[in-house]
C-alpha cells in the first residue's frame, strides 16, 4: 500500500462482490456481482464523475484557480463535488430539490458546500423528485451560476461524466472478473455510468441494459427522469431496457442488506431487481454486474428502512 496525496485519489478501485446468497434465495441461474461504489469517499458512484469533470475543466482552462463551482444535484454528485472542491480549493454551491432526503443536504454542508434548496412544484411529495421538480432545480442552478460567474459542473452534458466510467468503472469490473462478466445494468440518472460503461463493454461483447422506474412517481432518488434525450446515451450501444417499481427497488435494497450485508440505497435496490430480471430472462446463466450506487445511510429519513 502507498500513502495517497488526498482523498480525491481514493475515488477509484472499489471492490466487487458476488451475491451468491441472494442468487440462491431468488433461485437464479447465473451470478450477480455488485461493485461497491457506496464505499467511495462520498459514499456514491458520483465521486468518479465529480473528480473527472473538475479535473478535466481545470486542465482545459474552463475552471480557474479558486473559481466557484455550481451544480444541481440529488445529493450524490453534490457530495462528490464538495469533496473534490474542498481539496482543490474551489467554493462549491449545491442546488437541490427539497424532495431529496435531508441527510444529503446535511452531508454536503458538513463537507463545506453551500446548499440551496429549491421548493418542489405543485403536488410534489417529500422523498420523490419529478421531472418538473428537476426543471425548477435546473433553472435555479443556471441563475446562480450566471450571477456568481461560476463554473457549471453540468453532469448531464459534460464528457467527464461518462469518461470516468469508460476509463474507471467498466475496466475495473472487466479486470476484477477476468473478462468473464456477460452483462451490465444501471438505473438511469444522467446516463453517465451506463453510457461510459457501454463504450468499454460493448466492443468486448458485454451487453449493457438501462433500468428505469415504471412511472413518473417513484422513490428512487437521483434518476428516472426519462431515457430519451440524455446526451451520454445518444451514441451508446444499449442492449435493452427494463423497468422496476419503487416497491421492487425497496424490497431488493432490503434483501441486499439482510442477505449480503451490503447497505445500499434505493438505486442499488433497483439495480439488483433489474439484474435479477436479466438472469431470469435474456441473460439466464450469465454473469451480471451492477453498481451499488450509494449508501443506505442517506435514506434514514425516507421509507426505505421503515
Amino acid at each position: 500500500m502507498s500513502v495517497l496525496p488526498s482523498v480525491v485519489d481514493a475515488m477509484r478501485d472499489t471492490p466487487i462482490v458476488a451475491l451468491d446468497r441472494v442468487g440462491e434465495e431468488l433461485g437464479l441461474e447465473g451470478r450477480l456481482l455488485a461493485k461497491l461504489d457506496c464505499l467511495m469517499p462520498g459514499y456514491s458512484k458520483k465521486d468518479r464523475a465529480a473528480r473527472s469533470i473538475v479535473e478535466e475543466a481545470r486542465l482545459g482552462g474552463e475552471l480557474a484557480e479558486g473559481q466557484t463551482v455550481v451544480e444541481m444535484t440529488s445529493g450524490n454528485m453534490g457530495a462528490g463535488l464538495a469533496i473534490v472542491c474542498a481539496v482543490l480549493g474551489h467554493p462549491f454551491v449545491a442546488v437541490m430539490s427539497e424532495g431529496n432526503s435531508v441527510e444529503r443536504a446535511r452531508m454536503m454542508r458538513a463537507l463545506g458546500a453551500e446548499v440551496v434548496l429549491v421548493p418542489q412544484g405543485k403536488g410534489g411529495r417529500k422523498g420523490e423528485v419529478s421531472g418538473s421538480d428537476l426543471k425548477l432545480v435546473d433553472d435555479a442552478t443556471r441563475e446562480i451560476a450566471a450571477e456568481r460567474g461560476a463554473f457549471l459542473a453540468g453532469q448531464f452534458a459534460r464528457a467527464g461524466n461518462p469518461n470516468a466510467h469508460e476509463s474507471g468503472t467498466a475496466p475495473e469490473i472487466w479486470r476484477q472478473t477476468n473478462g468473464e462478466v456477460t452483462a451490465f445494468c444501471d438505473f438511469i440518472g444522467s446516463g453517465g455510468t451506463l453510457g461510459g460503461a457501454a463504450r468499454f463493454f460493448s466492443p468486448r461483447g458485454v451487453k449493457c441494459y438501462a433500468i428505469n422506474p415504471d412511472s413518473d412517481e417513484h422513490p428512487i432518488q437521483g434518476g428516472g427522469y426519462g431515457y430519451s434525450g440524455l446526451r451520454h446515451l445518444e451514441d451508446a450501444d444499449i442492449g435493452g431496457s427494463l423497468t422496476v417499481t419503487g416497491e421492487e427497488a425497496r424490497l431488493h435494497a432490503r434483501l441486499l442488506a439482510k442477505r449480503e450485508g451490503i447497505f445500499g440505497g434505493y438505486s442499488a435496490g433497483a439495480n439488483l431487481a433489474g439484474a435479477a430480471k436479466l438472469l431470469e430472462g435474456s441473460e439466464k446463466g450469465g454473469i451480471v454486474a451492477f453498481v451499488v450506487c450509494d449508501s443506505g445511510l442517506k435514506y434514514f429519513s425516507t421509507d426505505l428502512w421503515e
Side-chain angles (χ1 to χ4, degrees):
M1 294 181 65
S2 59
V3 177
L4 299 176
S6 79
V7 73
V8 173
D9 297 276
M11 293 175 169
R12 56 182 174 83
D13 295 327
T14 54
I16 195 165
V17 177
L19 307 182
D20 294 340
R21 283 153 289 278
V22 165
E24 181 179 0
E25 181 161 329
L26 297 178
L28 301 175
E29 293 185 32
R31 205 172 200 195
L32 296 165
L33 302 179
K35 187 157 178 61
L36 305 185
D37 274 20
C38 56
L39 300 181
M40 284 280 185
Y43 305 113
S44 92
K45 68 176 185 177
K46 292 290 188 176
D47 283 13
R48 296 178 185 268
R51 176 184 180 181
S52 180
I53 288 172
V54 171
E55 288 184 343
E56 288 185 14
R58 284 167 59 93
L59 186 62
E62 287 187 86
L63 176 59
E65 290 289 338
Q67 184 179 4
T68 297
V69 175
V70 176
E71 178 66 334
M72 72 171 185
T73 178
S74 65
N76 285 334
M77 175 62 92
L81 284 170
I83 293 170
V84 174
C85 288
V87 171
L88 298 180
H90 297 280
F92 173 58
V93 182
V95 188
M96 190 173 77
S97 171
E98 288 184 342
N100 290 117
S101 61
V102 296
E103 293 89 345
R104 297 167 181 237
R106 290 174 179 170
M107 179 178 179
M108 289 187 288
R109 289 193 183 101
L111 290 166
E114 175 186 344
V115 179
V116 177
L117 295 178
V118 179
Q120 292 181 272
K122 186 177 181 180
R125 297 190 294 184
K126 298 294 183 184
E128 296 182 6
V129 178
S130 67
S132 59
D133 290 333
L134 191 69
K135 177 63 166 59
L136 293 173
V137 177
D138 185 33
D139 291 343
T141 303
R142 294 181 184 280
E143 183 177 336
I144 292 170
E147 288 175 351
R148 305 194 187 189
F151 171 75
L152 183 60
Q155 61 179 301
F156 283 82
R158 293 194 183 272
N161 184 352
N163 289 350
H165 302 288
E166 180 182 11
S167 64
T169 308
E172 288 174 22
I173 293 172
W174 184 257
R175 184 181 69 251
Q176 289 166 325
T177 64
N178 295 315
E180 294 181 355
V181 60
T182 60
F184 175 81
C185 62
D186 194 58
F187 182 74
I188 301 301
S190 67
T193 305
L194 187 63
R199 291 185 204 162
F200 180 89
F201 279 139
S202 295
R204 293 167 173 79
V206 180
K207 292 184 179 179
C208 296
Y209 295 86
I211 299 176
N212 290 291
D214 67 334
S215 68
D216 291 336
E217 296 182 359
H218 63 87
I220 314 170
Q221 297 181 31
Y225 309 121
Y227 183 105
S228 61
L230 290 176
R231 181 176 299 184
H232 302 319
L233 296 179
E234 287 178 354
D235 299 319
D237 185 4
I238 306 302
S241 63
L242 58 157
T243 61
V244 299
T245 66
E247 183 62 15
E248 286 175 325
R250 183 181 296 110
L251 292 176
H252 282 78
R254 293 173 178 176
L255 179 64
L256 187 63
K258 291 178 180 178
R259 294 293 288 126
E260 300 287 355
I262 297 173
F263 198 47
Y266 258 114
S267 52
N271 280 348
L272 174 56
K277 289 182 180 184
L278 289 174
L279 286 184
E280 292 170 342
S282 61
E283 297 297 327
K284 182 179 290 187
I287 300 174
V288 180
F290 65 89
V291 175
V292 179
C293 307
D294 67 359
S295 169
L297 293 171
K298 300 183 179 186
Y299 297 87
F300 281 125
S301 64
T302 75
D303 62 357
L304 181 55
W305 305 117
E306 288 181 353

